[in-house]
Tab-separated table of all heavy atoms in Angstrom:
chain	number	residue	atom	x	y	z
A	567	ARG	N	-7.377	32.091	20.648
A	567	ARG	CA	-7.105	31.694	19.263
A	567	ARG	C	-5.637	31.334	19.119
A	567	ARG	O	-4.853	31.351	20.059
A	567	ARG	CB	-7.471	32.890	18.400
A	567	ARG	CG	-8.936	33.147	18.626
A	567	ARG	CD	-9.533	34.042	17.543
A	567	ARG	NE	-10.947	33.915	17.646
A	567	ARG	CZ	-11.796	33.926	16.686
A	567	ARG	NH1	-11.341	34.122	15.476
A	567	ARG	NH2	-13.115	33.800	16.846
A	568	HIS	N	-5.231	30.999	17.912
A	568	HIS	CA	-3.845	30.597	17.705
A	568	HIS	C	-2.896	31.728	17.910
A	568	HIS	O	-1.764	31.563	18.277
A	568	HIS	CB	-3.663	29.977	16.313
A	568	HIS	CG	-4.505	28.747	16.134
A	568	HIS	ND1	-5.814	28.769	15.885
A	568	HIS	CD2	-4.160	27.435	16.151
A	568	HIS	CE1	-6.266	27.542	15.801
A	568	HIS	NE2	-5.284	26.700	15.929
A	569	GLY	N	-3.368	32.956	17.608
A	569	GLY	CA	-2.555	34.175	17.855
A	569	GLY	C	-1.504	34.372	16.839
A	569	GLY	O	-0.459	34.979	17.180
A	570	PHE	N	-1.669	33.978	15.637
A	570	PHE	CA	-0.647	34.290	14.602
A	570	PHE	C	-0.804	35.802	14.185
A	570	PHE	O	0.191	36.449	13.970
A	570	PHE	CB	-0.798	33.424	13.382
A	570	PHE	CG	-0.449	31.937	13.712
A	570	PHE	CD1	-1.416	30.962	13.472
A	570	PHE	CD2	0.758	31.635	14.173
A	570	PHE	CE1	-1.113	29.625	13.742
A	570	PHE	CE2	1.027	30.259	14.463
A	570	PHE	CZ	0.129	29.305	14.214
A	571	ASP	N	-2.044	36.171	14.063
A	571	ASP	CA	-2.387	37.579	13.806
A	571	ASP	C	-1.684	38.094	12.576
A	571	ASP	O	-0.910	39.016	12.588
A	571	ASP	CB	-2.008	38.432	15.022
A	571	ASP	CG	-2.766	39.715	14.999
A	571	ASP	OD1	-3.732	39.920	14.215
A	571	ASP	OD2	-2.412	40.703	15.743
A	572	THR	N	-1.944	37.438	11.461
A	572	THR	CA	-1.265	37.820	10.148
A	572	THR	C	-2.123	38.656	9.246
A	572	THR	O	-1.620	38.980	8.184
A	572	THR	CB	-0.802	36.539	9.409
A	572	THR	OG1	-2.036	35.717	9.175
A	572	THR	CG2	0.169	35.740	10.128
A	573	LEU	N	-3.333	38.936	9.697
A	573	LEU	CA	-4.222	39.698	8.781
A	573	LEU	C	-4.240	41.112	9.164
A	573	LEU	O	-4.303	41.538	10.317
A	573	LEU	CB	-5.690	39.184	8.956
A	573	LEU	CG	-6.171	38.046	8.131
A	573	LEU	CD1	-7.689	37.894	8.387
A	573	LEU	CD2	-5.935	38.271	6.636
A	574	ARG	N	-4.082	42.054	8.141
A	574	ARG	CA	-4.235	43.463	8.362
A	574	ARG	C	-5.719	43.812	8.698
A	574	ARG	O	-6.677	43.145	8.239
A	574	ARG	CB	-3.881	44.229	7.076
A	574	ARG	CG	-2.344	44.226	6.820
A	574	ARG	CD	-2.115	44.946	5.531
A	574	ARG	NE	-2.677	46.332	5.502
A	574	ARG	CZ	-2.013	47.364	5.874
A	574	ARG	NH1	-0.738	47.269	6.287
A	574	ARG	NH2	-2.535	48.536	5.884
A	575	ASP	N	-5.845	44.875	9.544
A	575	ASP	CA	-7.253	45.276	9.810
A	575	ASP	C	-7.930	45.911	8.568
A	575	ASP	O	-8.997	45.712	8.335
A	575	ASP	CB	-7.240	46.305	10.931
A	575	ASP	CG	-6.745	45.654	12.284
A	575	ASP	OD1	-7.041	44.428	12.430
A	575	ASP	OD2	-6.130	46.385	13.046
A	576	VAL	N	-7.089	46.653	7.886
A	576	VAL	CA	-7.599	47.304	6.639
A	576	VAL	C	-6.762	46.844	5.476
A	576	VAL	O	-5.528	46.834	5.464
A	576	VAL	CB	-7.447	48.877	6.738
A	576	VAL	CG1	-7.997	49.606	5.518
A	576	VAL	CG2	-8.152	49.407	7.985
A	577	GLU	N	-7.481	46.397	4.386
A	577	GLU	CA	-6.759	45.923	3.224
A	577	GLU	C	-6.083	47.065	2.509
A	577	GLU	O	-6.648	48.118	2.382
A	577	GLU	CB	-7.744	45.283	2.276
A	577	GLU	CG	-7.887	43.796	2.496
A	577	GLU	CD	-8.682	43.109	1.415
A	577	GLU	OE1	-8.506	43.343	0.245
A	577	GLU	OE2	-9.567	42.210	1.798
A	578	ARG	N	-4.912	46.764	1.909
A	578	ARG	CA	-4.208	47.771	1.134
A	578	ARG	C	-4.726	47.618	-0.360
A	578	ARG	O	-5.216	46.598	-0.730
A	578	ARG	CB	-2.701	47.491	1.098
A	578	ARG	CG	-2.053	48.120	2.295
A	578	ARG	CD	-0.581	47.966	2.166
A	578	ARG	NE	-0.180	46.640	2.474
A	578	ARG	CZ	0.822	46.328	3.282
A	578	ARG	NH1	1.572	47.241	3.802
A	578	ARG	NH2	1.152	45.038	3.520
A	579	PRO	N	-4.579	48.741	-1.147
A	579	PRO	CA	-4.913	48.567	-2.484
A	579	PRO	C	-4.074	47.567	-3.170
A	579	PRO	O	-2.953	47.289	-2.804
A	579	PRO	CB	-4.684	49.936	-3.136
A	579	PRO	CG	-4.254	50.820	-2.006
A	579	PRO	CD	-4.013	50.024	-0.780
A	580	ARG	N	-4.658	46.899	-4.176
A	580	ARG	CA	-3.942	45.841	-4.874
A	580	ARG	C	-2.959	46.510	-5.850
A	580	ARG	O	-3.303	47.365	-6.651
A	580	ARG	CB	-4.974	45.089	-5.735
A	580	ARG	CG	-4.496	43.764	-6.299
A	580	ARG	CD	-5.705	42.842	-6.521
A	580	ARG	NE	-6.241	42.307	-5.321
A	580	ARG	CZ	-5.598	41.347	-4.539
A	580	ARG	NH1	-4.419	40.882	-4.893
A	580	ARG	NH2	-6.128	40.970	-3.500
A	581	PRO	N	-1.667	46.126	-5.787
A	581	PRO	CA	-0.645	46.731	-6.641
A	581	PRO	C	-0.949	46.550	-8.143
A	581	PRO	O	-1.579	45.487	-8.482
A	581	PRO	CB	0.689	46.060	-6.278
A	581	PRO	CG	0.358	45.459	-4.979
A	581	PRO	CD	-1.058	45.157	-4.903
A	582	GLU	N	-0.546	47.444	-9.026
A	582	GLU	CA	-0.796	47.308	-10.461
A	582	GLU	C	0.163	46.223	-11.052
A	582	GLU	O	-0.245	45.553	-11.987
A	582	GLU	CB	-0.487	48.626	-11.173
A	582	GLU	CG	-1.381	49.810	-10.740
A	582	GLU	CD	-2.788	49.595	-11.247
A	582	GLU	OE1	-2.924	48.996	-12.396
A	582	GLU	OE2	-3.737	50.037	-10.554
A	583	THR	N	1.379	46.106	-10.523
A	583	THR	CA	2.307	45.216	-11.119
A	583	THR	C	2.182	43.832	-10.468
A	583	THR	O	1.346	43.558	-9.609
A	583	THR	CB	3.741	45.699	-10.820
A	583	THR	OG1	3.840	45.881	-9.357
A	583	THR	CG2	4.039	47.009	-11.522
A	584	ASP	N	3.062	42.932	-10.943
A	584	ASP	CA	3.074	41.585	-10.299
A	584	ASP	C	3.271	41.674	-8.780
A	584	ASP	O	4.018	42.619	-8.333
A	584	ASP	CB	4.376	40.841	-10.863
A	584	ASP	CG	3.946	39.521	-11.462
A	584	ASP	OD1	2.771	39.174	-11.389
A	584	ASP	OD2	4.850	38.823	-11.942
A	585	HIS	N	2.658	40.853	-8.023
A	585	HIS	CA	2.778	40.943	-6.558
A	585	HIS	C	2.363	39.604	-5.984
A	585	HIS	O	1.727	38.770	-6.615
A	585	HIS	CB	1.977	42.102	-6.017
A	585	HIS	CG	0.531	41.963	-6.384
A	585	HIS	ND1	-0.008	42.299	-7.545
A	585	HIS	CD2	-0.533	41.562	-5.609
A	585	HIS	CE1	-1.303	42.147	-7.619
A	585	HIS	NE2	-1.581	41.610	-6.426
A	586	CYS	N	2.665	39.500	-4.704
A	586	CYS	CA	2.076	38.399	-3.902
A	586	CYS	C	0.656	38.658	-3.763
A	586	CYS	O	0.226	39.755	-3.264
A	586	CYS	CB	2.802	38.247	-2.567
A	586	CYS	SG	1.921	37.043	-1.504
A	587	LEU	N	-0.191	37.727	-4.155
A	587	LEU	CA	-1.685	37.994	-4.094
A	587	LEU	C	-2.166	38.214	-2.631
A	587	LEU	O	-3.231	38.883	-2.521
A	587	LEU	CB	-2.455	36.790	-4.713
A	587	LEU	CG	-2.205	36.528	-6.173
A	587	LEU	CD1	-3.020	35.395	-6.689
A	587	LEU	CD2	-2.610	37.877	-6.965
A	588	PHE	N	-1.440	37.785	-1.669
A	588	PHE	CA	-1.887	37.948	-0.316
A	588	PHE	C	-1.442	39.324	0.237
A	588	PHE	O	-1.901	39.713	1.337
A	588	PHE	CB	-1.375	36.843	0.547
A	588	PHE	CG	-2.042	36.750	1.865
A	588	PHE	CD1	-3.468	36.690	2.016
A	588	PHE	CD2	-1.376	36.723	3.051
A	588	PHE	CE1	-4.091	36.534	3.220
A	588	PHE	CE2	-1.937	36.697	4.281
A	588	PHE	CZ	-3.382	36.604	4.373
A	589	TYR	N	-0.577	40.071	-0.543
A	589	TYR	CA	0.001	41.309	-0.032
A	589	TYR	C	-1.006	42.272	0.546
A	589	TYR	O	-0.791	42.787	1.638
A	589	TYR	CB	0.866	41.935	-1.210
A	589	TYR	CG	1.255	43.355	-0.857
A	589	TYR	CD1	2.355	43.567	-0.108
A	589	TYR	CD2	0.467	44.470	-1.393
A	589	TYR	CE1	2.677	44.958	0.229
A	589	TYR	CE2	0.793	45.765	-1.083
A	589	TYR	CZ	1.927	45.992	-0.298
A	589	TYR	OH	2.285	47.236	0.005
A	590	PRO	N	-2.151	42.507	-0.105
A	590	PRO	CA	-3.060	43.544	0.423
A	590	PRO	C	-3.595	43.186	1.836
A	590	PRO	O	-3.953	44.094	2.580
A	590	PRO	CB	-4.152	43.530	-0.647
A	590	PRO	CG	-3.615	43.064	-1.887
A	590	PRO	CD	-2.618	42.019	-1.431
A	591	ARG	N	-3.630	41.908	2.163
A	591	ARG	CA	-4.232	41.567	3.414
A	591	ARG	C	-3.115	41.132	4.467
A	591	ARG	O	-3.532	40.824	5.575
A	591	ARG	CB	-5.184	40.337	3.212
A	591	ARG	CG	-6.362	40.688	2.493
A	591	ARG	CD	-7.210	39.573	2.023
A	591	ARG	NE	-7.877	38.887	3.124
A	591	ARG	CZ	-8.536	37.701	2.971
A	591	ARG	NH1	-8.636	37.113	1.867
A	591	ARG	NH2	-9.127	37.164	4.049
A	592	CYS	N	-1.910	41.088	4.055
A	592	CYS	CA	-0.827	40.460	4.856
A	592	CYS	C	-0.227	41.443	5.840
A	592	CYS	O	0.390	42.430	5.371
A	592	CYS	CB	0.203	39.826	3.994
A	592	CYS	SG	1.444	38.916	4.930
A	593	ARG	N	-0.275	41.223	7.102
A	593	ARG	CA	0.324	42.003	8.121
A	593	ARG	C	1.866	42.001	8.104
A	593	ARG	O	2.575	42.902	8.512
A	593	ARG	CB	-0.186	41.690	9.503
A	593	ARG	CG	0.156	42.639	10.597
A	593	ARG	CD	-0.278	42.050	11.929
A	593	ARG	NE	-1.661	42.205	12.252
A	593	ARG	CZ	-2.249	43.286	12.739
A	593	ARG	NH1	-1.518	44.310	12.974
A	593	ARG	NH2	-3.552	43.310	12.942
A	594	LEU	N	2.316	40.809	7.592
A	594	LEU	CA	3.829	40.542	7.653
A	594	LEU	C	4.537	40.979	6.360
A	594	LEU	O	5.718	40.897	6.229
A	594	LEU	CB	4.068	39.104	7.841
A	594	LEU	CG	3.370	38.444	9.054
A	594	LEU	CD1	3.772	36.966	9.154
A	594	LEU	CD2	3.717	39.177	10.334
A	595	ALA	N	3.721	41.508	5.389
A	595	ALA	CA	4.263	41.811	4.044
A	595	ALA	C	5.429	42.775	4.151
A	595	ALA	O	5.466	43.735	4.934
A	595	ALA	CB	3.183	42.334	3.168
A	596	VAL	N	6.443	42.598	3.319
A	596	VAL	CA	7.597	43.550	3.267
A	596	VAL	C	7.474	44.426	2.075
A	596	VAL	O	7.392	43.953	0.931
A	596	VAL	CB	8.904	42.612	3.156
A	596	VAL	CG1	10.095	43.514	3.051
A	596	VAL	CG2	9.051	41.653	4.285
A	597	ASP	N	7.454	45.652	2.259
A	597	ASP	CA	7.255	46.667	1.195
A	597	ASP	C	8.409	46.602	0.248
A	597	ASP	O	9.605	46.253	0.690
A	597	ASP	CB	6.990	48.040	1.690
A	597	ASP	CG	5.500	48.204	2.104
A	597	ASP	OD1	4.710	47.704	1.336
A	597	ASP	OD2	5.246	48.719	3.194
A	598	ASN	N	8.190	46.905	-0.968
A	598	ASN	CA	9.230	46.889	-2.095
A	598	ASN	C	9.663	45.452	-2.414
A	598	ASN	O	10.661	45.258	-3.107
A	598	ASN	CB	10.460	47.782	-1.739
A	598	ASN	CG	10.018	49.214	-1.709
A	598	ASN	OD1	9.191	49.621	-2.486
A	598	ASN	ND2	10.605	49.921	-0.725
A	599	LEU	N	9.046	44.466	-1.751
A	599	LEU	CA	9.354	43.077	-2.145
A	599	LEU	C	7.990	42.424	-2.519
A	599	LEU	O	7.765	42.141	-3.685
A	599	LEU	CB	10.069	42.321	-0.970
A	599	LEU	CG	10.314	40.853	-1.208
A	599	LEU	CD1	11.273	40.689	-2.347
A	599	LEU	CD2	10.869	40.208	0.094
A	600	CYS	N	7.161	42.275	-1.508
A	600	CYS	CA	5.889	41.481	-1.744
A	600	CYS	C	4.907	42.227	-2.662
A	600	CYS	O	4.124	41.566	-3.285
A	600	CYS	CB	5.234	41.221	-0.369
A	600	CYS	SG	6.270	40.478	0.850
A	601	ASN	N	5.071	43.554	-2.747
A	601	ASN	CA	4.157	44.318	-3.653
A	601	ASN	C	4.779	44.393	-5.077
A	601	ASN	O	4.110	44.989	-5.961
A	601	ASN	CB	3.862	45.642	-3.092
A	601	ASN	CG	5.093	46.488	-2.762
A	601	ASN	OD1	6.160	45.906	-2.463
A	601	ASN	ND2	4.969	47.807	-2.847
A	602	LEU	N	5.976	43.913	-5.211
A	602	LEU	CA	6.619	44.128	-6.566
A	602	LEU	C	6.899	42.824	-7.261
A	602	LEU	O	7.224	42.811	-8.433
A	602	LEU	CB	7.959	44.854	-6.386
A	602	LEU	CG	7.869	46.308	-5.890
A	602	LEU	CD1	9.253	46.993	-5.792
A	602	LEU	CD2	6.896	47.116	-6.861
A	603	HIS	N	6.865	41.726	-6.595
A	603	HIS	CA	7.220	40.374	-7.156
A	603	HIS	C	6.207	39.332	-6.723
A	603	HIS	O	5.690	39.452	-5.597
A	603	HIS	CB	8.592	40.006	-6.789
A	603	HIS	CG	9.663	41.025	-7.083
A	603	HIS	ND1	10.193	41.117	-8.326
A	603	HIS	CD2	10.215	41.942	-6.292
A	603	HIS	CE1	11.113	42.079	-8.263
A	603	HIS	NE2	11.166	42.658	-7.021
A	604	ALA	N	6.036	38.334	-7.514
A	604	ALA	CA	5.192	37.237	-7.120
A	604	ALA	C	6.106	36.092	-6.608
A	604	ALA	O	7.047	35.653	-7.369
A	604	ALA	CB	4.355	36.731	-8.370
A	605	PRO	N	5.889	35.596	-5.417
A	605	PRO	CA	6.710	34.503	-4.965
A	605	PRO	C	6.430	33.220	-5.645
A	605	PRO	O	5.385	33.006	-6.160
A	605	PRO	CB	6.342	34.409	-3.403
A	605	PRO	CG	4.986	34.919	-3.392
A	605	PRO	CD	4.817	35.976	-4.500
A	606	ILE	N	7.413	32.358	-5.621
A	606	ILE	CA	7.199	30.969	-6.246
A	606	ILE	C	7.146	29.935	-5.081
A	606	ILE	O	7.712	30.244	-4.044
A	606	ILE	CB	8.222	30.625	-7.341
A	606	ILE	CG1	9.646	30.750	-6.715
A	606	ILE	CG2	8.033	31.435	-8.556
A	606	ILE	CD1	10.640	30.085	-7.573
A	607	LEU	N	6.599	28.846	-5.353
A	607	LEU	CA	6.503	27.775	-4.366
A	607	LEU	C	7.894	27.158	-4.150
A	607	LEU	O	8.548	26.689	-5.078
A	607	LEU	CB	5.594	26.692	-4.914
A	607	LEU	CG	4.728	25.898	-4.039
A	607	LEU	CD1	3.956	26.685	-3.037
A	607	LEU	CD2	3.813	24.898	-4.743
A	608	LYS	N	8.375	27.245	-2.919
A	608	LYS	CA	9.708	26.724	-2.632
A	608	LYS	C	9.543	25.486	-1.704
A	608	LYS	O	8.686	25.496	-0.824
A	608	LYS	CB	10.541	27.748	-1.824
A	608	LYS	CG	11.251	28.675	-2.757
A	608	LYS	CD	11.911	29.852	-1.886
A	608	LYS	CE	10.714	30.749	-1.348
A	608	LYS	NZ	11.168	32.021	-0.857
A	609	THR	N	10.406	24.498	-1.883
A	609	THR	CA	10.296	23.350	-1.073
A	609	THR	C	11.198	23.546	0.201
A	609	THR	O	12.345	23.791	0.079
A	609	THR	CB	10.817	22.083	-1.823
A	609	THR	OG1	9.951	21.945	-3.005
A	609	THR	CG2	10.644	20.777	-0.996
A	610	LEU	N	10.574	23.372	1.361
A	610	LEU	CA	11.331	23.407	2.609
A	610	LEU	C	11.592	22.004	2.991
A	610	LEU	O	11.679	21.137	2.113
A	610	LEU	CB	10.513	24.098	3.732
A	610	LEU	CG	9.892	25.450	3.287
A	610	LEU	CD1	8.996	26.003	4.442
A	610	LEU	CD2	11.021	26.484	3.022
A	611	ASP	N	11.681	21.673	4.228
A	611	ASP	CA	12.039	20.254	4.664
A	611	ASP	C	10.817	19.325	4.393
A	611	ASP	O	9.667	19.788	4.396
A	611	ASP	CB	12.374	20.258	6.184
A	611	ASP	CG	11.418	21.128	6.929
A	611	ASP	OD1	11.623	22.412	6.871
A	611	ASP	OD2	10.452	20.688	7.473
A	612	ALA	N	11.109	18.028	4.200
A	612	ALA	CA	10.167	16.978	4.126
A	612	ALA	C	8.979	17.285	3.226
A	612	ALA	O	7.816	17.029	3.522
A	612	ALA	CB	9.645	16.615	5.500
A	613	GLY	N	9.323	17.824	2.123
A	613	GLY	CA	8.218	18.069	1.082
A	613	GLY	C	7.234	19.194	1.391
A	613	GLY	O	6.301	19.375	0.634
A	614	HIS	N	7.478	19.997	2.416
A	614	HIS	CA	6.678	21.023	2.752
A	614	HIS	C	7.015	22.225	1.841
A	614	HIS	O	8.121	22.576	1.697
A	614	HIS	CB	6.914	21.470	4.239
A	614	HIS	CG	5.884	22.308	4.825
A	614	HIS	ND1	5.242	21.956	6.022
A	614	HIS	CD2	5.312	23.510	4.414
A	614	HIS	CE1	4.339	22.868	6.305
A	614	HIS	NE2	4.350	23.831	5.324
A	615	ARG	N	5.968	22.746	1.137
A	615	ARG	CA	6.291	23.797	0.148
A	615	ARG	C	5.494	25.070	0.522
A	615	ARG	O	4.370	24.981	0.971
A	615	ARG	CB	5.820	23.304	-1.273
A	615	ARG	CG	6.605	22.111	-1.776
A	615	ARG	CD	5.971	21.416	-2.807
A	615	ARG	NE	6.188	22.031	-4.124
A	615	ARG	CZ	5.455	21.850	-5.244
A	615	ARG	NH1	4.366	21.152	-5.170
A	615	ARG	NH2	5.814	22.435	-6.316
A	616	VAL	N	6.125	26.171	0.328
A	616	VAL	CA	5.458	27.443	0.689
A	616	VAL	C	5.811	28.521	-0.280
A	616	VAL	O	6.970	28.515	-0.886
A	616	VAL	CB	5.807	27.859	2.110
A	616	VAL	CG1	7.272	28.145	2.298
A	616	VAL	CG2	4.973	28.992	2.592
A	617	SER	N	4.866	29.350	-0.636
A	617	SER	CA	5.079	30.409	-1.620
A	617	SER	C	5.053	31.715	-0.834
A	617	SER	O	3.973	32.401	-0.799
A	617	SER	CB	3.954	30.289	-2.649
A	617	SER	OG	3.958	31.394	-3.480
A	618	CYS	N	6.131	32.095	-0.265
A	618	CYS	CA	6.196	33.351	0.481
A	618	CYS	C	7.702	33.760	0.647
A	618	CYS	O	8.523	32.967	0.801
A	618	CYS	CB	5.594	33.047	1.898
A	618	CYS	SG	5.690	34.423	2.989
A	619	PHE	N	7.864	35.044	0.422
A	619	PHE	CA	9.219	35.592	0.554
A	619	PHE	C	9.839	35.516	1.911
A	619	PHE	O	11.064	35.662	2.117
A	619	PHE	CB	9.235	37.097	0.050
A	619	PHE	CG	9.055	37.198	-1.402
A	619	PHE	CD1	7.922	37.924	-1.888
A	619	PHE	CD2	9.921	36.682	-2.332
A	619	PHE	CE1	7.699	38.087	-3.194
A	619	PHE	CE2	9.678	36.787	-3.671
A	619	PHE	CZ	8.557	37.469	-4.163
A	620	LEU	N	9.037	35.312	2.921
A	620	LEU	CA	9.550	35.277	4.286
A	620	LEU	C	10.339	33.943	4.543
A	620	LEU	O	10.906	33.809	5.564
A	620	LEU	CB	8.438	35.373	5.330
A	620	LEU	CG	7.629	36.680	5.220
A	620	LEU	CD1	6.477	36.686	6.215
A	620	LEU	CD2	8.490	37.912	5.469
A	621	PHE	N	10.292	32.992	3.603
A	621	PHE	CA	11.010	31.743	3.765
A	621	PHE	C	12.010	31.583	2.619
A	621	PHE	O	11.751	31.882	1.477
A	621	PHE	CB	10.006	30.563	3.787
A	621	PHE	CG	9.083	30.670	4.901
A	621	PHE	CD1	7.833	31.323	4.747
A	621	PHE	CD2	9.453	30.283	6.171
A	621	PHE	CE1	7.033	31.431	5.734
A	621	PHE	CE2	8.524	30.448	7.251
A	621	PHE	CZ	7.277	31.086	7.008
Side-chain angles (χ1 to χ4, degrees):
R567 303 199 162 210
H568 296 77
F570 295 121
D571 203 12
T572 55
L573 271 187
R574 286 175 58 87
D575 295 328
V576 181
E577 270 189 42
R578 277 186 283 226
R580 196 156 285 288
E582 296 289 327
T583 54
D584 232 0
H585 58 280
C586 170
L587 293 180
F588 195 55
Y589 169 80
R591 292 168 72 185
C592 184
R593 188 188 283 278
L594 310 180
V596 179
D597 278 319
N598 294 324
L599 177 63
C600 308
N601 56 332
L602 296 180
H603 306 278
I606 54 163
L607 211 54
K608 273 170 293 195
T609 302
L610 310 174
D611 42 281
H614 198 124
R615 298 162 83 198
V616 64
S617 172
C618 175
F619 289 117
L620 300 178
F621 299 94

